[in-house]
């Protein structure tokens, strides 16, 4: 029953996001495109079938910005959850823990773009500045 309710909540959330997107720019994206390109306007979190579960479990205690500013592996996210459970009385996530970890690992994992520097300069002609 919990899974059916979660699925219903996710479906409604995705429908609302697609309708809002259509109203904003006049185009009707495919449901896949709307999912891939969208973030929740309120939280800034990536829209995904599991978004509502993550929002309910994570933003009850802290700002979604705490998620957005970090990039962790699945194991590191699990470590953060355990730390919050030990130190901040986070409840047992139960059956939703796997869903939350899947979402975080998918959308907020380390990636090269988040940590990379620009490519080194090449063929630069240096000159001295005159006083």
């Amino acid at each position: 029953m919990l899974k059916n309710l979660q699925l219903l909540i996710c479906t409604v959330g995705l429908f609302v996001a697609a309708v809002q997107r259509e109203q904003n720019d006049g185009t009707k994206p495919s449901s896949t495109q709307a999912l891939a390109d969208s973030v929740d306007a309120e939280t800034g979190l990536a829209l995904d079938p599991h978004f509502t579960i993550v929002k309910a479990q994570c933003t009850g205690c802290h700002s979604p910005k705490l998620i957005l500013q970090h990039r962790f592996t699945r194991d590191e996210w699990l470590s953060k959850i355990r730390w919050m459970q030990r130190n901040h009385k986070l409840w047992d996530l139960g059956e939703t823990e796997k869903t939350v970890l899947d979402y975080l690992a998918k959308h907020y994992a380390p990636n090269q773009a988040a940590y990379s520097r620009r490519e080194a300069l090449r063929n630069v002609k240096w000159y001295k500045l005159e006083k």
Side-chain angles (χ1 to χ4, degrees):
M1 184 164 141
L2 178 62
K3 290 188 184 235
N4 290 339
L5 180 58
Q6 292 168 344
L7 181 60
L8 176 63
I9 291 169
C10 291
T11 304
V12 170
L14 293 174
F15 174 75
V16 169
V19 168
Q20 288 174 339
R21 185 180 186 130
E22 183 176 351
Q23 289 172 346
N24 289 342
D25 65 10
T27 63
K28 187 173 184 177
S30 70
S31 59
T32 306
Q33 179 187 2
L35 243 178
D37 297 342
S38 297
V39 295
D40 178 56
E42 178 186 354
T43 63
L45 295 173
L47 287 176
D48 174 286
H50 304 298
F51 162 75
T52 53
I53 295 168
V54 172
K55 181 180 177 186
Q57 292 287 22
C58 299
T59 63
C61 294
H62 60 74
S63 167
K65 291 179 182 178
L66 197 58
I67 298 168
L68 296 171
Q69 69 187 8
H70 290 96
R71 297 280 176 171
F72 296 123
T73 64
R74 182 186 184 85
D75 287 341
E76 290 168 331
W77 280 116
L78 178 59
S79 173
K80 299 302 176 202
I81 289 171
R82 295 293 181 255
W83 179 83
M84 288 184 276
Q85 288 171 332
R86 276 191 316 273
N87 298 300
H88 295 284
K89 299 181 182 173
L90 173 65
W91 52 86
D92 180 7
L93 300 181
E95 294 177 10
T96 64
E97 184 174 270
K98 181 184 180 314
T99 303
V100 169
L101 287 169
D102 288 345
Y103 174 92
L104 293 171
K106 177 180 177 183
H107 297 287
Y108 302 103
N111 63 31
Q112 191 60 32
Y115 297 107
S116 66
R117 296 176 53 133
R118 65 166 172 73
E119 189 176 329
L121 298 174
R122 298 177 191 184
N123 301 324
V124 177
K125 294 181 181 179
W126 297 100
Y127 58 92
K128 289 187 177 183
L129 294 175
E130 300 296 325
K131 292 185 182 181

